Amino acid sequence: MAEVIKTADEFRTKVLEAKTPVLVDFFATWCGPCRMVAPVIDEIATEKAGQVAVYKVDIDQSPDLAFKYQVSSVPTLIVFENGQIKNERLGAQPKQNILAML
Amino acid sequence: MTDQVTDNRMGAPVGPDEGQEVYDLAIIGAGPAGLTAALYAARAGLSTALFERLSPGGQCAQTEHLENYPGYTRSTSGFELSMDMYDQALSFGAKAIMEDVTSVDFSAEPNKLVTPFNTYFARTVIVATGAVASQLGLPHEDELRGRGVSYCATCDGNFYRDKDVVVVGGGNTAAADVIYLSRICRKVYLVHRRDKLRATAIYHERLRELGNVEFCWDSVAEEFITGESGRVTGLKLRNVKTDDERVLAASAVFIAIGMRPYTAFLEGDLETDGGGYIVADAMGRTTMPGVFAAGDVRTKELRQVVTAVADGANCAQSASEFLEAKEAIEEAPSAL
């Protein structure tokens, strides 16, 4: 299961300062497509453990993080590398599309 | 990783590897149609593989309240119903494969199904891939997705709290979207090309009671208006009767103009109608022997969860009959 990040501090240390690429799933508990893609995200977290870190941000619990990354559609999937946005995709995606973002 | 994807496609084997399982039935899509087909096929003793690109339930799983699934008198969550159907199908032995079928070869014997990760083989196939939201087809529509253009009001409505928004469409989805958004947004414009809605009667009454909805009849969306931020700031309309143009100031445009069948991976292997839906008879038989179609992806009048599950059961029965007939021919001693 991909861990949920709650604070900006946590986001900085776990995502922006990470040594590996990081996939972040900005989601909402009330969003259908978010639920559809959740098992795919978890599968990638397990399969890519050690190579890619995978986290989730609940946009209702962490509105500041959602605002900072201009999330205005859920799910929004963002891949960070060396603290920068490398790739971004909106909407539930099949596994191969998410892997291609990494 | 992308290289690996390419490699698999390039080097996809022509037939099953030694010892690789050939399923009696492959079902593509685990919405209500595919899940029911899997349930019936597994119970009938067919070895059944159920393919799904995301997670089970399809559109049904994304429906907050189902009010018209018989037997559930209190409105039920489409997600919960889907997960129950999924558990039920698997409990009888259907095998779920969470991969996206990206191409098929129905001329191969057995039928071949290719995903970005593997190649699979099955004696019969049920296509139950459903439908996805149609786009308006206006310039910049793709780039503006997430910047004010949305196809899911319940997903994105909250980002436009107390703002003015537009819903384009006239069916049940559009009506439900307007009702939902009217509770969150300051004002909701409903843009429809005709002078009345196609939506079911129950919606008309609910819509009339809303104070912050303005109907723009006989109107079509012509152009997204964007601001300096690159986000939607409005929508230009044209009245189809008078040709008058009007710009609605709005932060978001929710598009609910219906669905289109999800069939791109078939590459024209099956006959489709003008709308792109797979032509199939009452028992789900398509123009290709041993290939069946169920649910929203097939030609039919009423696309609902109840009709999808019925299609699924019929297709499982057809697949079973097809396999029996084939076996009888293969086992019959040659007349020569």
Side-chain angles (χ1 to χ4, degrees):
Chain A
M1 285 281 281
E3 187 194 332
V4 177
I5 285 183
K6 295 199 173 100
T7 67
D9 273 352
E10 223 184 324
F11 195 86
R12 183 169 45 75
T13 53
K14 290 180 172 166
V15 177
L16 301 179
E17 295 173 4
K19 300 271 185 288
T20 61
V22 186
L23 168 66
V24 183
D25 170 17
F26 290 85
F27 75 103
T29 51
W30 36 261
C31 143
C34 298
R35 274 198 296 225
M36 299 298 281
V37 81
V40 184
I41 299 289
D42 287 337
E43 202 174 295
I44 292 172
T46 308
E47 281 177 20
K48 292 276 163 186
Q51 303 164 52
V52 177
V54 181
Y55 294 104
K56 300 173 73 141
V57 172
D58 180 335
I59 60 152
D60 291 318
Q61 280 184 32
S62 315
D64 294 348
L65 284 172
F67 183 77
K68 186 174 176 196
Y69 292 100
Q70 297 178 11
V71 173
S72 59
S73 178
V74 277
T76 290
L77 307 175
I78 304 182
V79 173
F80 292 86
E81 217 170 80
N82 303 317
Q84 305 289 319
I85 293 176
K86 184 190 172 196
N87 265 314
E88 181 171 350
R89 280 191 94 136
L90 305 181
Q93 304 285 334
K95 189 174 168 187
Q96 70 271 19
N97 290 6
I98 303 175
L99 291 175
M101 291 172 64
L102 299 173
Chain B
M1 202 58 216
T2 39
D3 291 341
Q4 194 178 321
V5 170
T6 318
D7 285 346
N8 181 45
R9 275 186 195 159
M10 298 294 289
V14 283
D17 289 339
E18 185 87 15
Q20 185 181 3
E21 177 159 14
V22 176
Y23 293 97
D24 289 327
L25 170 64
I27 299 164
I28 311 175
L35 290 168
T36 309
L39 169 67
Y40 273 71
R43 282 175 59 87
L46 307 191
S47 65
T48 302
L50 176 63
F51 291 86
E52 170 56 49
R53 63 204 292 266
L54 290 169
S55 52
Q59 293 174 66
C60 174
Q62 300 179 44
T63 306
E64 215 170 329
H65 301 292
L66 274 181
E67 292 178 342
N68 56 3
Y69 195 78
Y72 289 76
T73 48
R74 284 168 295 278
S75 87
T76 190
S77 136
F79 184 78
E80 279 166 30
L81 180 65
S82 303
M83 293 319 285
D84 284 348
M85 287 184 185
Y86 181 64
D87 292 342
Q88 192 179 10
L90 265 50
S91 75
F92 286 100
K95 184 182 176 193
I97 300 173
M98 293 308 187
E99 296 175 21
D100 186 13
V101 174
T102 47
S103 77
V104 289
D105 185 354
F106 295 146
S107 65
E109 169 94 36
N111 300 289
K112 184 163 91 173
L113 295 86
V114 179
T115 78
F117 308 99
N118 288 296
T119 300
Y120 298 89
F121 297 90
R123 292 177 190 92
T124 59
V125 177
I126 296 174
V127 179
T129 43
V132 291
S134 294
Q135 298 190 299
L136 281 173
L138 295 182
H140 311 297
E141 189 166 342
D142 282 333
E143 301 129 65
L144 289 171
R145 197 171 168 196
R147 295 189 169 78
V149 170
S150 173
Y151 302 88
C152 178
T154 52
C155 303
D156 301 339
N158 261 310
F159 296 105
Y160 304 98
R161 191 164 282 278
D162 301 323
K163 302 267 176 47
D164 295 353
V165 300
V166 182
V167 173
V168 182
N172 286 338
T173 306
D177 285 357
V178 169
I179 292 165
Y180 175 79
L181 292 167
S182 72
R183 296 188 205 120
I184 301 170
C185 303
R186 190 174 67 174
K187 179 161 190 176
V188 184
Y189 297 97
L190 176 59
V191 174
H192 186 42
R193 62 167 70 229
R194 282 180 259 280
D195 59 2
K196 62 170 191 271
L197 299 178
R198 274 182 292 113
T200 311
I202 193 164
Y203 284 113
H204 295 227
E205 207 173 302
R206 291 184 194 171
L207 282 169
R208 271 197 295 273
E209 292 164 3
L210 302 172
N212 60 340
V213 175
E214 181 180 333
F215 297 91
C216 305
W217 302 116
D218 301 314
S219 298
V220 292
E222 288 273 286
E223 187 186 336
F224 294 113
I225 311 295
T226 51
E228 280 176 18
S229 59
R231 301 184 61 89
V232 169
T233 56
L235 183 71
K236 190 201 265 182
L237 309 182
R238 182 175 56 82
N239 187 301
V240 292
K241 288 189 174 157
T242 62
D243 252 356
D244 287 344
E245 288 189 338
R246 176 186 178 191
V247 173
L248 303 175
S251 308
V253 178
F254 292 90
I255 298 161
I257 53 168
M259 311 294 287
R260 63 188 160 81
Y262 187 81
T263 56
F265 68 100
L266 294 172
E267 290 164 1
D269 281 356
L270 302 177
E271 189 188 330
T272 53
D273 72 358
Y277 294 97
I278 298 170
V279 175
D281 70 7
M283 286 304 287
R285 288 176 285 243
T286 68
T287 45
M288 186 73 77
V291 179
F292 310 91
D296 281 5
V297 78
R298 62 152 297 160
T299 47
K300 64 200 293 187
E301 287 297 320
L302 183 63
R303 294 190 167 82
Q304 289 283 300
V305 177
V306 282
T307 63
V309 298
D311 288 349
N314 282 329
C315 281
Q317 175 68 19
S318 295
S320 193
E321 283 171 7
F322 178 88
L323 288 167
E324 275 169 30
K326 201 167 176 223
E327 210 167 292
I329 292 167
E330 282 163 4
E331 279 174 11
S334 168
L336 300 171

